[in-house]
Structures are given as C-alpha cells and as structure tokens.
C-alpha cells in the first residue's frame, strides 16, 4: 500500500510497466531519456482517449473537421511561426559540474524554498488547510485568503520569496537574460552537484530538433521535427476552408506527434522529447475571440469532467507570461501526486499565425465573410491537450490499492477504476475449468462479441486470480462460463468496481456490454 503521494506515483509507474501500459524506449539498451513506448494495454487506452477527443471535437461539431498533416514542414513555416527565433528556454551552465539548468527553474526552486516554511506553518496551524499546491486556491474564499496572506507576510523569508518571484517574472517578460543571471548570483543559488556558484551567462536554448532532408547536408536542407501540430493546421486552413466550403466560425482538429528537445525531462511521461498532441484551431471573426475563448475554456473542462474525475482535482491557471503568439491563455491543470500541472492549454492566438504565414509565403490567407461583406484574416482560439499527460492523469486517477481484508483474512487488490469507455479490455471471458466443453462454449461466446469489443480469453489459474489480473488493467466486466451455461445458456458477469456478480443470458451480453461502454455515457 502507498503511504505517501511520492510512493503512490512510484507505484503507478511500476504498474504501468508491469501491466503493459508504458515501457521506457529502447530499454534493453538502458533506455533513451524522456522517450517512452506504449505497451499492449497502453496503446489501447491511448487510442480510446483519442477516440473520446475526436468524437467530442469532430464528430459532434458540424463545424469542426479533422486533418492529418505531415510531421515535416517547409523550414519557412517555423521562421514565420516565430519558433526559430523564440521557441527557447533560458539555460545556464555550471562551469564546475558542466551541468546545464533552466535558469528560471533554479530561481523558481529558490522562491519555493524561501516560501515553504511559512506555507508549512500555515498548514500546521490550520490556516491553509484549503490550500492546494502551495499558492493558488482553486476556489478562493476572500476572508480566509486575507487571513492567510496576513500570516504568510509576517515571515521575512516568505516576503523575500515573493519579491524574488516578481523580479523573475519581470525578467522573463522582458527577455532579460543577464537579469536572470544577476538574480541567481544575488540570491546565492548554488549548483546542487558541484555546490559552487560558478555560472556561465544565461543563453536561450532552442527546443526544436533539426535534421537534413535529402542527401546533401547544406544549410538550406535543414528541416525541423514539428514542436507543435498546430502549424500543420494553419498552413492548410485555406485548403480545408475552400475544399470543405467551411463558413466562419469553424475548426480544424488534429492528433499527432510533436517533438521538443526538452533539456530537463522529468516526471515520467509529463515532459517527453517525443509526445502526442490533440489540437484544435477554431477560426473566428475578429472581435468575437473573447466569447469563443470563454466557450472553449468551459467546453474543454466539461470534456475532462464527463469522465467522472472530481472537479476538485482540476483548476484553471491564467498565464502571466504569454507565448509569442497569444493575447490570452489559460491552462487546465490537474492535481498530480507531485502538484498541479498543465494538461491542456486554451490560447487566444489572434491572427498572428495566419498573418505571419501570409507575410512569409506571399499567399493571401484571407476569408471573405458574406454576412458582413468583408475580407479579413480570421482570429484563432486554440485548444491543445497533451495526450501523454491525459494518459498519465487517467492512470493516476483510476489507480487504487483497495484493502479487502475481513476479520478472517487479509486481502487487497490493485484496481484501475477506468471509465468503461476508456478501458483497454472491455470484458474478459473465463471458462470455469479447462474441460467438459467449457472452453469451447466460452470461445463461442467470445467469437460473437469480439468484432465489437476488445476482449480477453483466460483459462489459466483460479477465477479469483483471473479477476485480480483483469482488475489491474481496468477491465470492467468478467464473464464466467460454467456448467450451468451448457444447460441454460446463462453466464455470470462480475462487475469490476462493486465485485458483484449477476447471472445473465449469454445472448444479452452484447446489449449489456454495449450499454455500459457506449460513448453516449460521456458525450
Ligand atoms: N500549440 C500550442 C502548444 O503546443 P503547449 O502549451 O506548448 O502549447 C500543449 O503544449 C500541451 O502539450 C501541453 O498542455 C501539454 O499537455 C503537452 N506538452 C507540451 N510539452 C510536452 C512535453 N515535452 N511532453 C509531454 N507533453 C507536452
């Protein structure tokens, strides 16, 4: 049993490996840092999350269509989008350990350490019990908030941390790299490895991977692995609008791989170098972007909550430092065992991208709006969710170590309480024994159902052990074929969450499973 959130997270990671959800890439060669492979159950779960998103965004919205753009794009795309010049993290090296760090993260760690004593005291004294992840309550209570602020600001270190946070934000907003270095020196931040403050200058480190296209390694042949899928949508916006006779407002949705040379890869599949995004660009008339931004913020949160996750686990976080293309941005954050982290971004990208592509390509990317008889470059609201983060969120939220002990005996199980729509295996079919024609009957039932549902057949071990194995991968139903089945065609169906069993006619299984795993339950 996990005794702390740290331990819980470690146990989820081990569970992912042990039950075929996530493996480290190239593990037999000791792995490749921040790159992961999805195993047999992980691939199914990932596909189900994609289906949930695609149905919610494309299938249920008449004015949103899908796209599957190539990963490689013309190098000018990334100049136009601002990624060549601006998609970078501020990095600093320690000359003694030769280790590289993100300058802003070193400073943020310092802020946290300065503030932590006061925050811990507030928690111990019960003033901050409603606090989540240190600083921002998801549902602020003005009176409690004031009492807490008064308490925290009595602490000198907390005040210093607060001041430092302001200075760091200022440097980041103004791209003041020497300023970041000055703060690292001023606050005496030392390299945790060498223990010295022998720092280089802060330099911007571009996160895009590049490679060569064609045989000659000339400058002009450099192509990038896309760091976001969105640009494939922008450069195809007019193709889709014209060929699909789309009228504004309309959206284009896409699921695909993105690549970032993250310097600091942490927390399992939270920060990867190769990951997958599910992005939708919604093209709107200039001047209407605020209302569409609000619409998509709420619609996307609703999508998350429809899976049954507690609303207390989610919060919005407003960006203060906006990306180079945005005029407003909110993150949807989830409370992972290591704190609240961004899962999805909702960005108001103005007409920045389309205008830039118009400028760099020399091609008009305007839309003629017949309702107002005007040509304009549309504004864009983007929803961008990381599939891998959604996967981890789903695993953590579903993972439970359940104590089933009774007075007579100790017992426990690990159960993944995945929504049945997302479960990798929808039902497992067990013959009670390996003889008397039970396996044949079980196979016959399975053959009728397997076209519509991903099923597993198991005849090894006791029924109890087979139940436990299915609980651990989140299978919502286990169907047992026994001697009575041969007489009256009934089977037992055992429900994962309640562990209750009922006897049903085998001919009704299709309907029973179909109802419980139907997308209608979440959409
Ligand atoms: N097109 C906008 C865009 O790419 P972003 O906030 O940089 O915005 C969107 O990324 C989402 O992609 C994030 O909310 C996160 O879930 C996911 N993401 C970003 N970088 C990632 C990484 N290195 N590993 C895994 N997921 C990542």
């Amino acid at each position: 049993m996990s005794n702390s959130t740290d331990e819980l997270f470690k146990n989820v990671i081990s569970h992912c490996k042990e039950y075929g959800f996530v493996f480290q890439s190239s593990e037999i060669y000791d792995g490749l840092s921040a790159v992961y492979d999805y195993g047999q159950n992980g691939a199914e779960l990932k596909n189900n999350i994609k289906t949930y998103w695609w149905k919610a965004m494309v299938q249920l919205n008449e004015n949103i269509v899908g796209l599957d753009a190539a990963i490689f794009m013309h190098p000018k795309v990334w100049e136009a989008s601002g990624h060549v010049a601006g998609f970078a993290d501020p990095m600093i090296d320690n000359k003694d350990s030769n280790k590289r760090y993100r300058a802003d993260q070193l400073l943020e760690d310092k802020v946290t350490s300065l503030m932590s004593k006061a925050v811990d005291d507030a928690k111990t004294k019960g003033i901050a019990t409603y606090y989540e992840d240190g600083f921002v309550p998801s549902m602020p209570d003005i009176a409690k908030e004031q009492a807490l602020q008064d308490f925290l600001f009595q602490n000198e270190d907390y005040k210093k941390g607060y001041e430092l946070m302001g200075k760091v934000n200022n440097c980041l907003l103004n791209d003041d790299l020497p300023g970041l270095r000055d703060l690292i020196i001023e606050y005496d931040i030392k390299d945790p490895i060498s223990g010295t403050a022998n720092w280089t200058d802060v330099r911007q480190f571009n996160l895009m991977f590049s490679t060569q296209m064609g045989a000659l390694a000339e400058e002009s042949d450099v192509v990038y692995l896309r760091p976001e899928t969105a640009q494939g949508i922008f450069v195809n916006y007019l193709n889709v609008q014209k060929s699909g006779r789309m009228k504004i407002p309309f959206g284009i949705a896409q699921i695909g791989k993105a690549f970032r040379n993250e310097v600091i890869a942490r927390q399992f599949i939270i920060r990867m170098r190769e990951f997958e995004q599910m992005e939708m660009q919604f093209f709107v008339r200039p001047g209407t972007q605020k209302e569409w931004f609000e619409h998509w913020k709420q619609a996307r949160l609703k999508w998350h909550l429809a899976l049954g996750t507690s609303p207390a686990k989610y919060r919005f976080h407003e960006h203060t430092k906006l990306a180079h293309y945005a005029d407003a941005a909110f993150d949807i954050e989830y409370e992972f065992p290591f704190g609240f982290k961004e899962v999805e971004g909702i960005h108001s990208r103005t007409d920045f991208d389309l205008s830039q592509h118009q400028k760099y390509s020399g091609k008009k990317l305007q839309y003629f709006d017949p309702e107002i008889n005007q040509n304009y470059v549309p504004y864009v609201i983007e929803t961008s969710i990381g599939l891998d983060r959604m996967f981890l969120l789903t695993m953590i939220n579903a993972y439970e170590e359940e104590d089933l002990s009774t007075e007579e005996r100790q017992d426990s199980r690990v159960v993944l309480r995945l929504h049945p729509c997302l479960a990798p295996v929808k039902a497992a079919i067990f013959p009670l024994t390996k003889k008397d024609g039970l396996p044949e009957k079980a196979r016959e039932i399975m053959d009728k159902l397997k076209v519509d549902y991903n099923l597993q057949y198991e005849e090894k071990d006791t029924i109890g052990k087979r139940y436990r194995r299915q609980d651990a991968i989140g299978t919502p139903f286990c169907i047992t074929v026994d001697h009575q089945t041969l007489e009256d065609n009934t089977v037992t169906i055992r429900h994962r969450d309640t562990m209750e069993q009922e006897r049903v006619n085998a001919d009704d299984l299709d309907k029973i499973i179909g109802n419980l795993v139907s997308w209608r339950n979440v959409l």
Side-chain angles (χ1 to χ4, degrees):
M1 290 274 170
S2 309
N3 291 319
S4 65
T5 48
D6 251 10
E7 214 173 295
L8 172 82
F9 185 45
K10 278 192 198 131
N11 289 351
V12 172
I13 296 175
S14 314
H15 194 84
C16 280
K17 181 171 176 200
E18 194 180 338
Y19 287 93
F21 284 91
V22 184
F23 306 125
Q24 203 181 3
S25 160
S26 326
E27 197 191 77
I28 57 168
Y29 293 100
D30 294 334
L32 184 65
S33 171
V35 186
Y36 293 89
D37 300 335
Y38 286 84
Q40 66 280 20
N41 289 317
E44 294 288 344
L45 174 56
K46 211 173 166 201
N47 279 339
N48 293 339
I49 296 173
K50 287 190 209 179
T51 304
Y52 177 40
W53 186 84
W54 195 265
K55 279 182 186 287
M57 301 303 273
V58 180
Q59 202 166 316
L60 294 190
N61 288 294
E62 281 175 34
N63 60 348
I64 300 183
V65 291
L67 180 79
D68 185 7
I71 287 171
F72 289 133
M73 302 184 75
H74 195 287
K76 277 221 168 123
V77 167
W78 306 109
E79 282 175 42
S81 68
H83 283 83
V84 171
F87 192 57
D89 281 338
M91 306 305 299
I92 191 164
D93 292 18
N94 183 274
K95 292 182 198 163
D96 298 321
S97 68
N98 290 325
K99 289 278 170 206
R100 180 166 291 172
Y101 300 90
R102 262 181 66 174
D104 55 334
Q105 276 177 0
L106 283 179
L107 287 159
E108 275 162 21
D109 288 349
K110 181 75 184 176
V111 169
T112 308
S113 83
L114 283 168
M115 288 178 155
S116 64
K117 168 118 188 16
V119 172
D120 286 349
D121 282 355
K123 280 184 184 157
T124 320
K125 294 199 161 81
I127 305 170
T129 44
Y130 66 103
Y131 252 50
E132 288 148 37
D133 194 32
F135 309 119
V136 190
S138 62
M139 283 196 287
D141 169 326
I142 305 291
K144 277 187 179 169
E145 176 71 2
Q146 192 54 53
L148 180 63
Q149 291 304 323
D150 292 346
F151 178 83
L152 293 173
F153 277 95
Q154 284 167 20
N155 181 299
E156 284 307 312
D157 275 347
Y158 185 89
K159 269 197 247 172
K160 269 195 208 159
Y162 188 81
E163 266 169 35
L164 176 58
M165 193 163 68
K167 289 180 192 169
V168 174
N169 282 340
N170 224 5
C171 289
L172 290 174
L173 280 172
N174 296 311
D175 285 325
D176 180 2
L177 302 182
L180 286 175
R181 185 176 189 276
D182 290 348
L183 287 175
I184 288 174
I185 303 294
E186 182 187 334
Y187 283 80
D188 196 25
I189 296 176
K190 299 207 168 86
D191 175 6
I193 294 175
S194 67
T196 69
N198 194 6
W199 298 109
T200 61
D201 288 341
V202 176
R203 281 162 300 179
Q204 292 286 20
F205 178 85
N206 197 292
L207 298 180
M208 282 198 295
F209 283 102
S210 62
T211 185
Q212 267 98 33
M213 190 166 257
L216 293 176
E218 287 168 12
E219 185 77 3
S220 58
D221 298 322
V222 168
V223 286
Y224 297 100
L225 297 186
R226 64 182 180 197
E228 61 169 9
T229 58
Q231 296 305 323
I233 295 181
F234 287 122
V235 299
N236 278 298
Y237 133 83
L238 215 51
N239 285 335
V240 173
Q241 190 272 318
K242 290 213 159 111
S243 59
R245 290 175 290 116
M246 308 299 291
K247 289 200 172 58
I248 271 181
F250 74 91
I252 304 178
Q254 173 167 226
I255 300 176
K257 291 270 186 172
F259 305 83
R260 295 183 190 176
N261 195 5
E262 301 282 2
V263 179
I264 294 147
R266 317 186 184 174
Q267 285 147 345
F268 194 37
I269 54 174
I270 281 277
R271 196 166 292 286
M272 301 156 87
R273 298 203 164 106
E274 174 181 340
F275 59 101
E276 215 159 342
Q277 291 184 316
M278 306 193 285
E279 298 202 299
M280 193 275 299
Q281 314 297 131
F282 199 69
F283 300 90
V284 305
R285 188 185 290 166
T288 63
Q289 66 271 22
K290 273 207 172 78
E291 61 195 81
W292 283 114
F293 185 67
E294 207 41 49
H295 166 85
W296 282 111
K297 246 175 79 184
Q298 299 310 332
R300 291 304 305 146
L301 184 61
K302 205 168 145 207
W303 180 90
H304 284 268
L305 296 179
L307 289 170
T309 315
S310 157
K313 286 273 172 195
Y314 279 103
R315 73 179 186 192
F316 281 120
H317 167 77
E318 187 174 6
H319 283 214
T320 43
K321 182 181 191 292
L322 292 169
H324 57 275
Y325 48 74
D327 77 348
F330 269 80
D331 293 336
I332 296 178
E333 295 186 339
Y334 173 80
E335 190 180 21
F336 289 92
F338 38 83
F340 275 92
K341 287 278 171 291
E342 170 189 352
V343 177
E344 172 156 9
I346 321 292
H347 310 128
S348 176
R349 290 182 80 132
T350 66
D351 59 354
F352 174 84
D353 301 86
L354 289 181
S355 297
Q356 285 290 99
H357 288 307
Q358 196 168 248
K359 191 164 128 201
Y360 278 71
S361 67
K363 308 267 164 38
K364 273 215 165 3
L365 294 178
Q366 289 190 334
Y367 170 82
F368 176 71
D369 190 332
E371 279 179 30
I372 53 170
N373 218 17
Q374 261 181 36
N375 275 309
Y376 55 76
V377 175
Y379 270 46
V380 171
I381 306 300
E382 165 183 74
T383 71
S384 174
I385 173 169
L387 177 54
D388 311 270
R389 287 193 193 176
M390 185 62 203
F391 181 100
L392 183 59
L393 175 169
T394 307
M395 286 297 288
I396 286 171
N397 201 42
Y399 180 89
E400 190 181 326
E401 296 163 1
E402 196 179 10
D403 187 358
L404 300 172
S405 302
T406 57
E407 274 181 14
E408 289 81 48
R409 66 185 189 110
Q410 293 252 313
D411 196 11
S412 67
R413 67 168 179 164
V414 170
V415 53
L416 281 190
R417 296 192 190 278
L418 292 170
H419 194 288
C421 291
L422 298 186
V425 176
K426 301 303 181 201
I429 311 226
F430 308 152
L432 185 63
T433 62
K434 284 191 216 166
K435 47 185 197 213
D436 304 334
L438 297 185
E440 290 75 11
K441 181 68 185 169
R443 289 252 177 230
E444 183 192 310
I445 293 171
M446 175 145 167
D447 286 345
K448 279 196 196 143
L449 296 169
K450 72 181 183 194
V451 177
D452 290 312
Y453 312 106
N454 190 31
L455 303 178
Q456 254 181 27
Y457 174 86
E458 277 210 78
E459 56 180 30
K460 197 168 170 288
D461 295 324
T462 62
I463 289 284
K465 277 195 181 153
R466 287 183 254 173
Y467 281 157
R468 289 290 182 275
R469 278 203 292 270
Q470 295 299 328
D471 288 343
I473 61 167
T475 306
F477 316 108
C478 292
I479 294 155
T480 304
V481 171
D482 55 20
H483 292 93
Q484 193 179 330
T485 314
L486 302 179
E487 286 163 22
D488 62 7
N489 200 37
T490 61
V491 294
T492 59
I493 179 162
R494 181 256 195 190
H495 296 261
R496 175 197 69 198
D497 293 342
T498 57
M499 296 192 289
E500 273 167 16
Q501 299 182 24
E502 51 178 330
R503 196 136 198 122
V504 301
N505 194 301
D507 293 338
D508 294 336
L509 284 172
D510 187 13
K511 217 185 205 164
I512 296 170
I513 300 172
N515 280 340
L516 291 164
V517 306
S518 164
W519 290 105
R520 287 206 186 101
N521 298 327
V522 280
L523 289 168

